[in-house]
Amino acid sequence: MTSARRRWTDGSLTAGSLLRPHHVARAVFHPAWIPPSLDPTVETLKRIRVVAGAVAAVGVYTFVEGGFAFDEMLENTAIASAVLFLLTPTTVGAMLFVWRRTGTVRQLKVPLVDSLKLLLLFVGCLLATVGIFRSSGAVGFVPQLLLSLVGLWMAVFVTAGAVRLSGNFFGTAAVHRCLPPLLATVTTWLMAVPDLVTGDLHGLSLTMGVVFILGAPLTVTGIALMETRRLRRRYGIRLTAHPASLPPTPAPQRVPPPAQPHVPPGTHPYGAPYAPGGGRPYPQGGANPYAQGGANPYAQGGANPYAPRPPHPGGRPRNG
């Protein structure tokens, strides 16, 4: 782990970016100091985990019943922000207790502080968005219109940021690459278990409620186990090992572009027609049938097959 503090954004934000909240969210909630995925397989597993986590976070009703319960989504969003604010530091603190045998907390000070900043930033934006929508109905028409525009911008900004954060989980991959799948698993289970305990199955039967409510955390858990197993087997990254004791990770793999077929030079039968040494089909001095001084088959005095023939002895014309 490096202790050098890097820039937060990659410098791609401009004044025009304010019109594209998803671009702002990409720069803000996926900082430049977050390490990229080690290989395409890990990246694919991470994206599947993000989709399954979204089902658990937004709510089963929205995905199962085919409706969009906005009030329920706001409630789930507020609960999710509180869960993340309490659960993420608690889980990371538990892992620091496990790692104390092979390293110190001081070695991870920089990435831990950066991850905490990212967590506080997202929770603050999330609560601000919920507050804007809650208070828009208690003001006049003009303030309500302005708040609605700001709320829509914030909604797109926070939603795009949530997608980014579901993959890197508040930049905890900068602390340990196995922390994002671990935190995603713990969070989705904590979001799903209360619905089962309280019996809030969103109008579904017991069997269907259990299937759909537990489907998301079970999927996230399976994907997280596959992700951590690949990190352990291919790169030697173990969850219980302090990041400072792990072997250096290789550079992220990139899929190479398809190779173009190699054509050796000079294989064209005629080459460059007028290039020096290009292999002209009728080089100067060669056997050009129409070259000057060559044997012209229709030269003067030759046997021209189309010359007029003498008349037939009987005076009748020849038929060809």
Side-chain angles (χ1 to χ4, degrees):
M1 291 291 168
T2 177
S3 60
R5 192 179 295 273
R6 292 177 287 182
R7 295 180 56 184
W8 190 275
T9 65
D10 56 1
S12 61
L13 288 180
T14 60
S17 299
L18 294 176
L19 301 177
R20 296 174 292 182
H22 59 286
H23 286 188
V24 181
R26 180 178 59 188
V28 172
F29 293 119
H30 193 84
W33 45 265
I34 296 179
S37 298
L38 292 175
D39 60 29
T41 302
V42 175
E43 181 68 20
T44 302
L45 293 174
K46 181 179 68 176
R47 292 178 180 178
I48 299 175
R49 171 167 54 82
V50 169
V51 174
V55 176
V58 175
V60 177
Y61 180 83
T62 302
F63 290 89
V64 176
E65 295 295 330
F68 186 75
F70 188 74
D71 293 336
E72 182 181 353
M73 191 192 69
L74 289 179
E75 181 181 353
N76 289 344
T77 301
I79 295 175
S81 63
V83 170
L84 291 174
F85 185 73
L86 297 175
L87 184 63
T88 301
T90 302
T91 305
V92 174
M95 293 310 302
L96 290 175
F97 181 78
V98 174
W99 296 336
R100 76 189 190 282
R101 301 176 182 177
T102 55
T104 62
V105 178
R106 185 180 297 273
Q107 295 173 288
L108 306 175
K109 179 181 178 180
V110 172
L112 284 174
V113 172
D114 288 340
S115 298
L116 181 60
K117 291 179 181 177
L118 191 57
L119 172 63
L120 294 176
L121 177 63
F122 178 73
V123 171
C125 293
L126 197 61
L127 294 178
T129 304
V130 174
I132 289 174
F133 281 108
R134 292 287 189 185
S135 60
S136 60
V139 295
F141 176 75
V142 176
Q144 183 178 2
L145 180 61
L146 294 177
L147 284 177
S148 298
L149 293 176
V150 175
L152 289 176
W153 193 97
M154 289 293 295
V156 176
F157 173 71
V158 170
T159 302
V163 174
R164 294 286 174 177
L165 292 175
S166 298
N168 59 61
F169 226 95
F170 306 104
T172 51
V175 181
H176 196 294
R177 288 189 179 270
C178 291
L179 274 180
L182 173 66
L183 290 169
T185 301
V186 176
T187 303
T188 52
W189 276 106
L190 194 61
M191 292 291 295
V193 168
D195 288 340
L196 292 176
V197 173
T198 59
D200 185 9
L201 302 179
H202 306 275
L204 300 173
S205 64
L206 178 61
T207 303
M208 295 299 294
V210 171
V211 169
F212 282 106
I213 291 177
L214 293 184
L218 286 175
T219 303
V220 171
T221 303
I223 296 299
L225 290 176
M226 294 172 62
E227 190 175 347
T228 53
R229 183 176 61 179
R230 184 173 180 85
L231 290 173
R232 183 181 70 253
R233 291 185 175 181
R234 182 174 288 266
Y235 304 102
I237 300 176
R238 293 176 291 108
L239 177 62
T240 56
H242 190 280
S245 65
L246 295 173
T249 56
Q253 300 178 7
R254 296 181 179 179
V255 179
Q260 299 293 333
H262 176 67
V263 180
T267 57
H268 195 278
Y270 300 110
Y274 296 102
R280 294 170 55 189
Y282 308 116
Q284 188 174 4
N288 186 347
Y290 304 104
Q292 186 177 5
N296 189 346
Y298 309 113
Q300 188 176 5
N304 188 348
Y306 303 104
R309 299 184 182 183
H312 193 269
R316 292 178 301 175
R318 292 178 179 269
N319 296 326

